[in-house]
């Protein structure tokens, strides 16, 4: 018998025990297929979904579940398909380590609670509209399985949105770091060019000074020579007498 989920259910999420029992006995191949199914990068964002465990499970229950699932998908136990087994094992290991971190686990729980609250809010809005229209207040989410699936879908959507935002922030940070690095390299190259120019300037200063002095000396001599030739009296041409 499936446990009843309704809008009166407290914020604590109750997963369907029958489905958990069914999933928990999947074979190694079935677990690997589940963890690597199309869209797994989307589904596996929810660590509770990866480990197939109730979000309110205790630390001991979490550890027990991890051990059981990790053994099923471990590459050593699946030597016929070690590469896919390794990927599945990494997904399980990542989810387990995330849930070991109190802050990370709290964030995951917040997402799940937000998903349920969103569905519950939609149910209330539907009932309001039905009441306004004078119709029966029955909604499809009264079926516990439909309600659970609605929560599941909304939760997955929220996890995906958070992942997209995380990647956008990561890309932005990477871009900023790249730009800062480029500016740093450009500044370093400019400083190097300035040092080389200064060094070259210092090394050639004496030569430039000597060249200038030589130029000035030549100019002075040329001027003196010109002045002397200018002041030299003209030659007198002797007259010839007949």
């Amino acid at each position: 018998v499936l446990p009843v989920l309704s809008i009166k259910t407290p914020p604590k999420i109750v997963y369907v025990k029958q489905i958990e029992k069914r999933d928990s006995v999947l074979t190694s191949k079935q677990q690997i297929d589940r963890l690597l199914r199309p869209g797994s990068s989307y589904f596996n964002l929810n660590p509770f979904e990866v480990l197939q465990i109730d979000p309110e499970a205790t630390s001991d229950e979490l550890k027990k579940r991890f051990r059981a699932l990790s053994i099923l998908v471990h590459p050593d136990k699946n030597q016929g398909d070690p590469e896919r087994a390794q990927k599945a094992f990494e997904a399980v290991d990542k989810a387990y380590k995330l849930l070991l971190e109190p802050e990370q686990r709290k964030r995951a729980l917040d997402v799940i609670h937000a998903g349920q609250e969103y569905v519950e809010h939609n149910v209330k809005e539907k009932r309001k509209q039905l009441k306004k229209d004078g119709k029966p207040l029955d909604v499809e989410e009264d079926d516990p399985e439909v309600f659970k699936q609605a929560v599941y879908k909304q939760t997955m959507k929220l996890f995906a949105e958070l992942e997209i935002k995380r990647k956008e922030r990561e890309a932005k940070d990477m871009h900023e770091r790249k730009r800062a690095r480029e500016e740093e390299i450009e500044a370093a190259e400019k400083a190097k060019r300035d040092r080389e120019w200064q060094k070259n300037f210092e090394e050639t200063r004496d030569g430039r000074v000597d060249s200038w002095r030589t130029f000035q000396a030549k100019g002075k001599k040329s001027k003196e020579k010109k002045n002397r030739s200018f002041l030299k009296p003209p030659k007198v041409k002797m007259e010839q007498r007949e």
Side-chain angles (χ1 to χ4, degrees):
V1 179
L2 298 178
V4 177
L5 293 175
S6 69
I7 60 172
K8 295 181 180 180
T9 303
K12 176 179 178 179
I13 303 297
V14 180
Y15 271 46
V16 182
K17 301 301 179 182
Q18 182 177 333
I19 294 177
E20 287 184 347
K21 183 178 180 180
R22 180 201 67 192
D23 290 342
S24 66
V25 296
L26 289 176
T27 64
S28 293
K29 182 180 183 307
Q30 289 171 323
Q31 284 288 4
I32 292 173
D33 290 342
R34 178 184 71 86
L35 292 166
L36 301 182
R37 65 193 185 278
S40 59
S41 59
Y42 169 75
F43 295 112
N44 292 348
L45 292 173
N46 183 347
F48 298 106
E49 167 68 16
V50 173
L51 298 176
Q52 299 172 316
I53 192 170
D54 192 307
E56 306 299 338
T58 65
S59 297
D60 288 340
E61 290 172 334
L62 174 63
K63 185 181 296 184
K64 183 179 179 180
R65 181 57 185 156
F66 167 69
R67 287 177 177 172
L69 190 54
S70 62
I71 289 174
L72 277 176
V73 301
H74 198 282
D76 292 345
K77 299 292 183 179
N78 297 275
Q79 296 186 7
D81 194 4
E83 291 184 5
R84 295 181 75 246
Q86 180 63 34
K87 292 180 180 179
F89 177 80
E90 289 173 358
V92 171
D93 186 61
K94 179 180 179 180
Y96 176 63
K97 289 179 178 178
L98 186 148
L99 293 179
L100 286 180
E101 294 290 334
E103 187 62 29
Q104 294 291 340
R105 181 166 183 168
K106 181 180 181 301
R107 290 178 181 176
L109 281 172
D110 288 344
V111 174
I112 292 175
H113 292 158
Q116 179 168 347
E117 289 171 1
Y118 180 87
V119 174
E120 290 177 344
H121 173 75
N122 280 351
V123 169
K124 289 180 180 179
E125 291 300 313
K126 285 182 180 181
R127 292 187 193 281
K128 280 183 181 180
Q129 188 61 45
L130 289 172
K131 184 176 181 180
K132 183 178 179 181
D133 296 340
K135 297 179 180 180
L137 304 183
D138 299 328
V139 295
E140 58 181 354
E141 286 84 2
D142 288 337
D143 182 334
E145 183 60 22
V146 173
F147 181 86
K148 175 186 176 297
Q149 287 300 318
V151 172
Y152 176 82
K153 290 178 181 179
Q154 183 60 30
T155 299
M156 290 296 99
K157 181 179 178 181
L158 292 175
F159 272 112
E161 289 175 351
L162 289 174
E163 178 66 6
I164 290 172
K165 290 180 180 179
R166 185 192 69 79
K167 289 183 176 180
E168 288 176 347
R169 289 195 302 270
E170 189 177 79
K172 182 179 179 181
D173 291 343
M174 185 179 295
H175 175 73
E176 291 296 330
R177 289 194 298 270
K178 182 180 178 181
R179 187 177 67 176
R181 179 56 180 164
E182 289 174 348
E183 290 177 352
E184 181 181 341
I185 293 174
E186 184 179 352
E189 290 178 348
K190 182 178 182 302
K192 181 180 179 180
R193 289 194 301 270
D194 290 344
R195 288 194 302 269
E196 290 176 349
W197 184 90
Q198 186 64 30
K199 180 180 179 182
N200 183 63
F201 180 84
E202 295 292 337
E203 291 176 348
T204 59
R205 180 176 56 186
D206 292 342
R208 291 195 306 275
V209 172
D210 290 342
S211 297
W212 177 249
R213 287 174 178 170
T214 302
F215 173 76
Q216 285 184 318
K218 288 182 177 179
K220 185 176 181 181
K221 290 180 179 179
S222 175
K223 187 176 180 180
E224 290 177 351
K225 183 177 181 181
K226 184 177 180 180
N227 289 338
R228 285 197 300 271
S229 62
F230 177 77
L231 295 175
K232 186 176 180 180
K235 293 183 179 179
V236 179
K237 185 176 181 180
M238 298 297 294
E239 294 183 356
Q240 293 181 354
R241 293 183 180 181
E242 295 180 353

